[in-house]
Amino acid sequence: MFHQALTRRSFLQAAAVTAAGTLVAACTPAATPEVKEVEKIVQQTVVVKETQVVKVVEEVQKVVTATPGPAAPVTIYFPQAMGDDGQPVFEGIAKRFQQKHPNVTVKVDPTFDWDSQKYLVQAAAGTAPDIIWGDEDWSFLLSSKGVLLDLNPFMDASGFKRDNYADILDKFSWQGKLFSFPIWIGAEGVFFNLDLLDKAGLELPPDNWTYEDMRTMAKQLTIDENKDGDPEQYGIHIQTGWDNPWGSTVMAYGGKFYSADGTDFVLCQKPNYDGLQYLIDLIHKDKVAPTPEITEALAGGGDPFQTGVCAMTISNPWGFARYRRGATFTWDCAPMPLGPTGGKGASLSSDSLSIYRGSKNPDVAWQFTDELLSFESQKAYCTEFKGPQPVHKEAFQYWLRPEDPPKHQQLFIDALEYAECPMWSMFSYIVQDPFYMALGDVTSGNKSLEEAMDEVCQPIKEAIQAEIEKLASYSGS
């Protein structure tokens, strides 16, 4: 999620691959860690107080042990998404890992790109990297094509301590399987230009503020000096090109994205899109947020919050490094507002790690993944990248940087208690393109949200059903 929103969208647009490629990936035999059960006799001393008799009881226990490291030389491949800036960090982790496992060579590649087509084709050809970087959308896209391994058996065999990590793994699981483990995460919050608030005589809102409070503040922060209907300053920037910024509002309004089993897209049905309607109204009814076209013109293609065009924006800790480095004003954050009935909602973003189903060394790939998730590595991400939140609980203290803005950093940790991944289903890749094409017409003012949802709802449902039938035919082959 350090990548730009449009780049993230491009991988979804490339999600359609040939049935042959998908079938090859889906039919590749899965490798799982070798788990051995050994029996050992354990003596237990039982004291019976009434008679003061001491008994020695022998019982047989089964102990699960993980497969030891490889004896022969092994090489695993790990493309990372942080580019040249992140290469020294990940090479340092690889060096530490190789000192523990001298027979293993880790090839860290800084040229990862968010191109799903590339990795699906590589998987079909049997040439995908051992560890695949991704995010919450990639997990479902690639796992639905049979590309990824379930991580739970590796975690169980290695004694991985799930309790050391933020309580979020259920949000990344599907039908009991975990196809990706977040390397770092971030919940959405509202960012404020405090200089513009001060000029308007406003203060940072309290934690229990509402979406109606947000509307009121946005109106107070919108400035149209010559009254021509084209404000020079807008109250808030609304992003509808990807789901994390607006997903929080849908959740707070009580909306659902999919049915419980993920096979039916229900966001296109009332009242599930009420929260999205609220955001569209900020653009076209209240005129306190710019359209995408106006944003482009005013901000020159840049971030309208960072350039001072918009006083508020919805974002996550990925923005910390950018604003700490580039903002020329004082800024801070507040939690996402409460919905009409007091509901909370915060979208959860991630970058994640998965193991390629066709890896020749899945056990070693997991061992290095474990190293990437370790406290020592998570601490390094905090000190070097200074952005997204670690998943290791003990590393939270190194993520909090009281000497740097924003002042209210703790709110992003607190939001993990209720944050959810929006638009998540095994079939999200089927939904994304038609949905965002329809939503684009709404954001630009060419259609109402109701019209767009009515038009796109049935085609999406039919496309999901067709995909379900296609995947079922693969599993039967």
Side-chain angles (χ1 to χ4, degrees):
M1 296 298 292
F2 263 95
H3 49 290
Q4 297 298 315
L6 289 178
T7 305
R8 171 192 177 127
R9 290 284 302 121
S10 66
F11 94 81
L12 291 164
Q13 292 169 353
V17 295
T18 62
T22 303
L23 182 57
V24 171
C27 294
T28 303
T32 55
E34 180 184 356
V35 180
K36 299 179 180 179
E37 289 188 346
V38 297
E39 294 185 349
K40 72 175 184 179
I41 298 177
V42 179
Q43 289 189 343
Q44 292 183 337
T45 301
V46 180
V47 179
V48 183
K49 291 184 178 179
E50 286 80 0
T51 59
Q52 299 296 314
V53 176
V54 178
K55 298 181 180 180
V56 178
V57 180
E58 290 187 349
E59 68 175 34
V60 176
Q61 291 185 351
K62 289 186 177 181
V63 180
V64 177
T65 60
T67 303
V74 167
T75 298
I76 60 171
Y77 294 88
F78 171 54
Q80 52 89 8
M82 299 301 291
D84 292 339
D85 291 340
Q87 190 70 0
V89 177
F90 291 111
E91 285 183 339
I93 295 172
K95 181 179 180 180
R96 184 175 72 234
F97 177 77
Q98 289 165 170
Q99 289 173 344
K100 301 175 185 176
H101 306 276
N103 289 339
V104 178
T105 299
V106 180
K107 298 286 189 180
V108 181
D109 180 2
T111 62
F112 171 88
D113 60 79
W114 293 92
D115 179 1
S116 65
Q117 179 82 16
K118 170 182 174 180
Y119 290 97
L120 288 169
V121 170
Q122 286 181 347
T127 60
D130 300 275
I131 300 173
I132 299 178
W133 193 286
D135 65 8
E136 62 273 11
D137 287 304
W138 276 59
S139 176
F140 279 148
L141 171 63
L142 298 184
S143 61
S144 71
K145 302 299 184 183
V147 174
L148 308 179
L149 289 174
D150 179 14
L151 299 181
N152 283 311
F154 298 94
M155 297 165 70
D156 293 340
S158 64
F160 185 84
K161 293 180 172 56
R162 292 173 173 83
D163 291 344
N164 289 343
Y165 295 81
D167 187 20
I168 58 168
L169 292 186
D170 61 313
K171 307 176 194 300
F172 293 86
S173 298
W174 179 260
Q175 296 181 343
K177 295 184 177 181
L178 182 69
F179 292 106
S180 66
F181 199 114
I183 187 171
W184 46 61
I185 52 179
E188 299 289 305
V190 183
F191 288 57
F192 292 83
N193 183 323
L194 296 183
D195 294 351
L196 297 182
L197 261 67
D198 185 59
K199 288 181 180 179
L202 301 174
E203 296 180 350
L204 198 71
D207 289 354
N208 62 347
W209 71 315
T210 68
Y211 275 97
E212 284 310 307
D213 295 332
M214 173 184 275
R215 189 196 307 271
T216 299
M217 287 191 71
K219 289 180 178 180
Q220 294 171 313
L221 290 164
T222 299
I223 299 175
D224 183 5
E225 292 181 348
N226 56 10
K227 309 300 180 184
D228 63 353
D230 295 321
E232 294 77 31
Q233 174 184 301
Y234 285 88
I236 189 169
H237 179 219
I238 300 298
Q239 302 177 73
T240 58
W242 60 305
D243 43 83
N244 287 68
W246 57 261
S248 302
T249 310
V250 169
M251 297 175 197
Y253 271 69
K256 303 296 181 184
F257 300 91
Y258 291 91
S259 59
D261 64 359
T263 62
D264 187 16
F265 181 62
V266 299
L267 177 62
C268 57
Q269 303 169 2
K270 287 184 176 180
N272 290 317
Y273 59 77
D274 284 353
L276 193 50
Q277 183 65 66
Y278 165 88
L279 297 175
I280 296 299
D281 286 346
L282 292 182
I283 299 173
H284 295 296
K285 182 179 178 181
D286 302 311
K287 300 187 183 303
V288 296
T291 64
E293 294 77 12
I294 293 176
T295 299
E296 179 75 19
L298 289 177
D303 181 337
F305 176 73
Q306 186 168 333
T307 56
V309 172
C310 297
M312 293 185 283
T313 193
I314 298 171
S315 189
N316 55 42
W318 273 263
F320 283 9
R322 179 170 67 253
Y323 298 139
R324 285 168 177 167
R325 180 177 61 251
T328 59
F329 51 83
T330 306
W331 58 280
D332 202 353
C333 300
M336 294 301 302
L338 302 178
T341 61
K344 292 182 178 181
S347 295
L348 184 64
S349 303
S350 74
D351 276 13
S352 62
L353 304 172
S354 301
I355 297 178
Y356 168 43
R357 187 182 184 90
S359 171
K360 294 180 176 61
N361 300 285
D363 294 321
V364 180
W366 165 251
Q367 289 172 345
F368 185 60
T369 300
D370 193 357
E371 189 72 37
L372 291 166
L373 298 171
S374 68
F375 164 72
E376 191 171 3
S377 297
Q378 295 275 303
K379 178 182 175 182
Y381 307 148
C382 295
T383 57
E384 297 298 327
F385 298 139
K386 302 179 177 67
Q389 298 162 252
V391 289
H392 199 293
K393 294 176 183 176
E394 292 183 15
F396 284 175
Q397 60 183 309
Y398 299 98
W399 179 77
L400 293 167
R401 302 177 63 84
E403 70 277 12
D404 293 329
K407 179 179 179 181
H408 295 87
Q409 298 170 34
Q410 180 65 38
L411 71 89
F412 292 94
I413 294 177
D414 296 341
L416 296 178
E417 295 182 6
Y418 56 88
E420 299 283 348
C421 299
M423 291 287 279
W424 246 44
S425 162
M426 188 64 78
F427 303 102
S428 294
Y429 62 95
I430 298 296
V431 174
Q432 298 277 2
D433 281 350
F435 175 80
Y436 277 109
M437 287 181 65
L439 185 57
D441 286 336
V442 178
T443 307
S444 297
N446 297 324
K447 290 181 180 179
S448 70
L449 184 59
E450 183 175 2
E451 289 173 333
M453 294 299 97
D454 285 346
E455 290 176 7
V456 79
C457 202
Q458 189 58 33
I460 287 179
K461 291 175 180 290
E462 293 173 358
I464 291 177
Q465 186 58 41
E467 187 72 1
I468 292 174
E469 294 172 1
K470 184 169 68 175
L471 293 175
S473 71
Y474 293 159
S475 63
S477 61

